[in-house]
Amino acid sequence: MRIVLLGAPGSGKGTQAKKLMAEKNIPQVSTGDMLREAVAKGTRFGLKAKAVMDAGNLVPDEVVLGIISERLSQPDAENGFILDGFPRTTQQALDLEDLLDEMGTPLDTAVLMDVDFDILVKRLTGRRTCSLTGELLNVYFSSQEELDKCTSAGGELIQREDDNEETIGNRLTVYRESTEPLINFYKQREKLVTINAEGEIDAVYERLLNAL
Ligand code: AMP
């Protein structure tokens, strides 16, 4: 199974990719996660990427293409992969098409995860990670009990650096301008399916499995 999860920041691509990865035993390939790893290592490249990411802009196409082509050539991606956060521009989608053609393994499906704008903003501004467990929580949607479980065990609720209001605004604008055209791109290739990605995580996952 070779799929792209398409959707705005906050549409739940990472959450759903992780569930699918566990069930289907194919890797989640998240350019955002890989870039954050490079930033955490503090390399010169990482520092440059951090500035772009903190502003909510996109790192250059050729940079992410390099990361992706290396990742997809790893043995664990042989039986399939879930692309999360890539492609984000038409150029990236064309590059991906070429890369997969060369590998002789075309994409099966692009799943558009559809979420109302107001919900996206709440998901992003409220998103926190428990510093102890790495669990993803949300100050608007998680129960008080779940939030307290982290803090009473001595954990902190950490906010991603690009989840502040100003950067979120720009990330959503960048999505609209640069990534939304991919909806038509995959529609034209008859690879697009759209799911309603609002509501409970498990309910969205059901819809995702049905769509696939
Ligand atoms: P994400 O975790 O997918 O929201 O990505 C976080 C940030 O990493 C984005 O706001 C971009 O700055 C950068 N990034 C992730 N994926 C890409 C991509 N495919 N192309 C360009 N920049 C990306």
Side-chain angles (χ1 to χ4, degrees):
M1 178 190 279
R2 290 177 294 275
I3 66 168
V4 163
L5 294 184
L6 201 60
S11 59
K13 300 186 295 293
T15 301
Q16 297 298 330
K18 285 193 179 68
K19 284 180 80 75
L20 203 55
M21 168 169 75
E23 186 172 330
K24 304 281 181 192
N25 208 16
I26 49 174
Q28 168 199 18
V29 175
S30 158
T31 38
D33 285 349
M34 290 188 279
L35 287 164
R36 276 185 290 278
E37 272 169 33
V39 170
K41 282 189 189 138
T43 57
R44 248 176 58 197
F45 162 71
L47 284 178
K48 258 167 83 178
K50 182 177 180 348
V52 176
M53 292 165 76
D54 282 351
N57 293 322
L58 296 181
V59 304
D61 289 335
E62 61 274 17
V63 171
V64 275
L65 178 68
I67 295 176
I68 281 287
S69 59
E70 196 186 312
R71 182 64 188 89
L72 295 188
S73 68
Q74 302 293 314
D76 68 336
E78 247 170 42
N79 295 322
F81 47 77
I82 307 149
L83 290 175
D84 156 15
F86 177 92
R88 260 178 157 94
T89 64
T90 303
Q91 186 57 52
Q92 290 180 16
L94 289 167
D95 289 341
L96 175 66
E97 206 165 47
D98 287 347
L99 180 68
L100 294 181
D101 274 353
E102 271 168 35
M103 295 166 68
T105 55
L107 191 74
D108 296 314
T109 310
V111 183
L112 172 64
M113 305 196 30
D114 193 27
V115 177
D116 185 74
F117 182 83
D118 291 345
I119 297 178
L120 288 177
V121 172
K122 269 190 148 175
R123 283 191 183 173
L124 291 165
T125 53
R127 179 157 69 179
R128 302 287 186 277
T129 306
C130 177
S131 62
L132 280 183
T133 61
E135 188 187 2
L136 264 183
L137 297 161
N138 190 295
V139 296
Y140 299 116
F141 301 120
S142 301
S143 66
Q144 196 56 46
E145 203 183 334
E146 284 173 301
L147 297 168
D148 288 348
K149 199 169 132 202
C150 174
T151 47
S152 58
E156 270 183 80
L157 296 172
I158 311 268
Q159 190 169 24
R160 235 170 79 168
E161 290 205 36
D162 58 352
D163 276 347
N164 63 76
E165 269 185 47
E166 195 186 334
T167 306
I168 288 168
N170 190 41
R171 285 162 66 203
L172 292 171
T173 305
V174 168
Y175 173 75
R176 216 172 279 141
E177 288 173 357
S178 303
T179 311
E180 246 177 21
L182 296 186
I183 297 174
N184 265 330
F185 180 96
Y186 286 116
K187 217 181 252 171
Q188 280 165 7
R189 284 158 176 76
E190 296 182 350
K191 301 225 167 182
L192 188 81
V193 295
T194 302
I195 63 164
N196 170 5
E198 291 180 8
E200 295 289 325
I201 291 172
D202 288 345
V204 176
Y205 187 60
E206 265 316 291
R207 287 177 219 138
L208 174 62
L209 288 181
N210 285 337
L212 294 171

